[in-house]
Amino acid sequence: MKNRILSMILVLTTMFSACMAATAAENPSSTRAKLRSEGAIHYSAKEGNVVIDSADFYTLADQLDRFKVQAVKQLEVMHTYLTHSGGDVAMTSADDIYAVHKKPQSGEEADPLSLDFATILEGIAVSQSIPTNPEAYGFPAGTKFYKKADGSLSTNDSDDAEPISIQPAEADNLSAGTAAWVNGKLKLGTGSDTAKMLDEAFKEHGGGSNLGQYAINTVYTLPEDVPTAFAYVVTTAHSGSGIDGNQAGADPVLTVSSCKSFTKLFSNRYARNGFNVRISLYYLTGLPAGTEIEGSNGLLFY
């Protein structure tokens, strides 16, 4: 009986080793393909039994490879891909491996099993980088960008547009209270650029820094004649599928029952904390007492 059991163990060990060898041959980049251990060693002594089984090494190898695959998949969720084709950032931990923010062509992706852990960790750090190439944002290669007079982004070179380049956001040009990871650093927005734009618009049209502020998300009725006023109107809508503020959301609406002139000074749109935001600033003149003003949301200054 003892000899029969030993024979069965030998047969099973041989079969198991053959299966592992076949699997490794199918995945030459896998960690298990680099293992050379086979079979098992059983040692018995007065202190107890000790078993050293090569299957344990293969189990650990498979767990390591599973982690590599899942880590690379999570990078792809964060729109970061490791590729051999060249791209935004060359990995310092590995030759001919690059990180890009646009999904590469089929066959150009790096095999997760062939990557060192150092390369995967470097890829996680790169996932928070800001790409400066237009392709990463869905535009054709070589696309040039311009900022129009109202502050919105354009790809058309017009008289009132200035050339701009893609660059990482700073705290001053993130809306107040919004936060973002930019090149590995967490930044809290101050909204300084919007505040500056409003201040310049007020000064250009004769406004001062001591203007009163009145909510217009419901009808606001002027208690007196107002020669000049500014209306800051905003709309927010949940992005749902993640569409950014340049492609979704509703334009702000402002209604004024009576005024001499009604001029839009600028408008802008952007994504913030999962919402699509659109803003507009209006310059109003000649508003008599009793005028009713209402906006989608926002403030009246006078």
Side-chain angles (χ1 to χ4, degrees), residues 214-269:
Y214 309 91
I216 55 173
N217 56 312
T218 57
V219 175
Y220 175 77
T221 304
L222 292 178
E224 58 187 347
D225 293 342
V226 176
T228 61
F230 300 89
Y232 176 75
V233 194
V234 60
T235 59
T236 58
H238 198 280
S239 59
S241 61
I243 301 174
D244 67 27
N246 290 331
Q247 299 177 8
D251 288 327
V253 176
L254 177 68
T255 58
V256 181
S257 62
S258 178
C259 67
K260 181 178 180 181
S261 66
F262 185 103
T263 306
K264 181 188 289 188
L265 297 180
F266 74 83
S267 61
N268 199 4
R269 59 185 68 178

Side-chain angles (χ1 to χ4, degrees), residues 3-25:
N3 290 337
R4 182 179 298 176
I5 293 175
L6 290 174
S7 298
M8 290 177 63
I9 292 175
L10 179 61
V11 170
L12 290 173
T13 301
T14 303
M15 291 175 61
F16 184 69
S17 298
C19 291
M20 290 189 296
T23 303

